Amino acid sequence: MFAQEGTPGSLDLKALANKDAELVAALAVGVLKGALPDDPVARQVAVNEVVEAFDRTFAGLSPAVQKELQELLSLLTFSLTRRLLAGLPMRWADATEADVTGFLERWRHSRFALLQQGYQALARVMIACWYGNPLSWQKIGYGGPPHARELGLQ
């Protein structure tokens, strides 16, 4: 999922481990399907931006929420539990878009509320990380926030 120049080690991460960043990148592609740029280079830049925004968001959470989210990320990155819970035998960085989309749909429509909640938590953070980024605004026709001068605040 990461391009050569966008490996987790080259991103400016403060809180996420590389394995967590690989998971976030894979999930971003699945959750934001259709919202990311079509151009492969621009798409990779966007995914890297989402990973860095997720990292900043994670770092700003309360310790209790960080612990819960880290437990979820750990379950999804540890080989055995990734196979059991996500149905993926390969690392997230090696998963195809179809693999990731299948996992997301299984959790989204699971009969187990806990898996649905895991999906919702991850999807909501991904969506906030992407649509809070100026790179996403053109595709949705948003011109950006008004400037303070235009509002008479300066």
Side-chain angles (χ1 to χ4, degrees):
M1 289 290 170
F2 280 100
Q4 297 296 336
E5 68 279 354
T7 60
S10 70
L11 298 178
D12 185 24
L13 302 176
K14 307 285 188 248
L16 293 177
N18 286 348
K19 64 183 176 47
D20 298 330
E22 289 177 357
L23 166 62
V24 171
L27 294 178
V29 171
V31 170
L32 301 169
K33 188 175 184 171
L36 296 172
D38 296 324
D39 173 69
V41 174
R43 181 182 176 105
Q44 189 61 56
V45 169
V47 168
N48 290 346
E49 295 263 343
V50 170
V51 172
E52 288 180 338
F54 189 100
D55 179 70
R56 288 188 302 274
T57 300
F58 182 86
L61 296 172
S62 71
V65 176
Q66 274 186 359
K67 182 177 184 271
E68 287 181 11
L69 185 54
Q70 186 56 61
E71 288 172 356
L72 176 58
L73 296 176
S74 294
L75 283 172
L76 291 172
T77 56
F78 182 65
S79 178
L80 179 62
T81 50
R82 182 188 62 242
R83 288 174 192 241
L84 293 172
L85 293 174
L88 297 177
M90 75 290 288
R91 291 178 32 233
W92 287 99
D94 299 327
T96 66
E97 191 172 317
D99 293 330
V100 175
T101 301
F103 155 72
L104 290 167
E105 287 302 306
R106 285 189 300 276
W107 273 37
R108 181 179 183 197
H109 300 292
S110 175
R111 64 184 175 153
F112 300 108
L114 192 58
L115 298 183
Q116 290 177 10
Q117 291 169 357
Y119 166 82
Q120 290 294 329
L122 292 169
R124 286 179 179 166
V125 174
M126 296 290 164
I127 290 167
C129 288
W130 175 237
Y131 287 108
N133 187 314
L135 293 176
S136 72
W137 298 348
Q138 182 180 10
K139 194 163 186 173
I140 60 173
Y142 177 57
H147 293 71
R149 262 190 301 249
E150 292 173 277
L151 295 175
L153 299 176
Q154 283 186 320

